Amino acid sequence: MDHFHEVVAAGDTYALDPDISREDAMAYWFAPRTHTYVAEIEGEFVGEAVSFPATPSSTVKPNPLIAGTYILRPNQSGGGSHVANAGFIVSASARGRGIGRAMAQHCLSEARQLGFRAMQFNYVISTNTAAIHLWQDLGFAIVGTLAKAFRHPEKGYVDVYVMYRALP
Amino acid sequence: MDHFHEVVAAGDTYALDPDISREDAMAYWFAPRTHTYVAEIEGEFVGEAVSFPATPSSTVKPNPLIAGTYILRPNQSGGGSHVANAGFIVSASARGRGIGRAMAQHCLSEARQLGFRAMQFNYVISTNTAAIHLWQDLGFAIVGTLAKAFRHPEKGYVDVYVMYRALP
């Protein structure tokens, strides 16, 4: 979960406690009803590696190389469970290479396959322009604005957007 | 938690699993960082009663009579923790008597005292007009609309509002 800490500790993209423990981070990322995915770049080391439990009969193979990870889950329970929510983390060392976009496209396709009818981002910080442009590019609209809902470590209180799209 | 079940099981106001267990309901309503309040009507039985552990020296007094309950908590962690979120339940047998409004006013005052700078309702179902009017009356605005985000047990897919107000 080093990527998770790297992103959350920066304190400018996620509304989570930057001092979140490894345990709590794992519980968040691997929660019940949450589908967790990783993006790998073949043959290239871009971040932390996954370790396999080795058995005497197992073939030794190179570790997959994790460039990013995302979660996909229902945004609400009960009567709201047909709307998906997702969260994305790209390793700092793998940025600018389309990993976020590739994961987002995969995520939309997965969400459709899982039967979700819409996807919602509850908390897109307005200063995170790269993410906002990506979501708009992928069909999301800003459907709500929360005035000064995020305290940015450098910029002070900034607006937060709710973004949404149907999955027809 | 009978009130909780009564409301959630109706399936038309909360996006929670109507079959939520008593344990999970308690965990939700009494979660860490959540302040939980009850509204009592003196001298009148309107719903479930609170039982006191009786000790030999304790004076027997009438049970408080719980007409409603609400929770107040940060809507997000980290850089989003200055925005409050709240949830309200009024006992079916105590409706139409201003209990919801009284709790809402108390809640806004508590939120200010606790240092929150805004309050957000993430998920106000558009068919819940009584709640929407109450929140608008108390200074909340609809700042976002989530198209068809709730599957109403009778009305099918209906819109959901995000409501928000600053706490100056």
Side-chain angles (χ1 to χ4, degrees), chain B residues 58-89:
Chain B
S58 71
T59 311
V60 176
K61 19 179 208 174
N63 284 334
L65 306 163
I66 300 192
T69 175
Y70 78 87
I71 55 174
L72 174 61
R73 59 189 174 185
N75 196 43
Q76 303 281 348
S77 306
S81 59
H82 61 285
V83 178
N85 170 248
F88 298 83
I89 292 176

Side-chain angles (χ1 to χ4, degrees), chain A residues 8-158:
Chain A
V8 172
D12 60 356
T13 49
Y14 272 86
L16 291 168
D17 183 350
D19 299 325
I20 189 169
S21 70
R22 185 184 171 87
E23 262 182 5
D24 287 351
M26 295 288 278
Y28 179 82
W29 211 250
F30 297 94
R33 305 193 314 147
T34 294
H35 300 260
T36 307
Y37 304 83
V38 292
E40 305 171 1
I41 300 182
E42 250 175 90
E44 192 181 334
F45 187 81
V46 293
E48 86 191 83
V50 167
S51 53
F52 294 95
T55 67
S57 65
S58 72
T59 313
V60 176
K61 20 178 206 174
N63 284 334
L65 306 164
I66 300 191
T69 176
Y70 77 88
I71 54 175
L72 173 60
R73 57 189 175 186
N75 196 43
Q76 303 281 348
S77 307
S81 60
H82 61 285
V83 178
N85 169 248
F88 297 83
I89 291 176
V90 177
S91 162
S93 54
R95 288 194 192 144
R97 297 171 59 172
I99 308 287
R101 179 178 294 266
M103 287 198 297
Q105 283 165 334
H106 188 267
C107 177
L108 284 167
S109 149
E110 281 288 300
R112 278 198 191 86
Q113 282 204 353
L114 290 167
F116 288 110
R117 299 170 63 100
M119 189 176 292
Q120 178 174 343
F121 299 127
N122 302 299
Y123 206 85
V124 183
I125 298 163
S126 58
T127 50
N128 192 1
T129 47
I132 293 162
H133 290 151
L134 175 57
W135 305 143
Q136 286 174 327
D137 226 41
L138 294 175
F140 286 82
I142 294 172
V143 298
T145 299
L146 312 167
K148 301 183 181 175
F150 185 68
R151 184 178 199 154
H152 192 283
E154 285 108 40
K155 293 170 190 164
Y157 292 103
V158 298

Side-chain angles (χ1 to χ4, degrees), chain B residues 41-162:
Chain B
I41 301 181
E42 249 174 271
E44 193 182 335
F45 187 80
V46 292
E48 86 190 83
V50 167
S51 52
F52 294 95
T55 67
S57 66
S58 71
T59 311
V60 176
K61 19 179 208 174
N63 284 334
L65 306 163
I66 300 192
T69 175
Y70 78 87
I71 55 174
L72 174 61
R73 59 189 174 185
N75 196 43
Q76 303 281 348
S77 306
S81 59
H82 61 285
V83 178
N85 170 248
F88 298 83
I89 292 176
V90 177
S91 162
S93 54
R95 290 199 189 138
R97 297 172 58 174
I99 307 288
R101 179 178 295 266
M103 287 198 297
Q105 282 164 335
H106 187 268
C107 176
L108 285 167
S109 149
E110 280 288 300
R112 277 197 191 85
Q113 283 203 353
L114 290 167
F116 289 110
R117 299 169 64 99
M119 189 176 291
Q120 178 175 342
F121 299 127
N122 303 298
Y123 205 87
V124 183
I125 297 163
S126 58
T127 50
N128 193 359
T129 47
I132 293 163
H133 290 151
L134 175 57
W135 304 142
Q136 286 175 328
D137 226 41
L138 294 175
F140 287 82
I142 294 172
V143 298
T145 300
L146 313 167
K148 302 183 181 174
F150 184 70
R151 185 178 200 154
H152 192 284
E154 285 109 39
K155 294 169 190 167
Y157 291 103
V158 298
D159 292 352
V160 172
Y161 300 135
V162 179

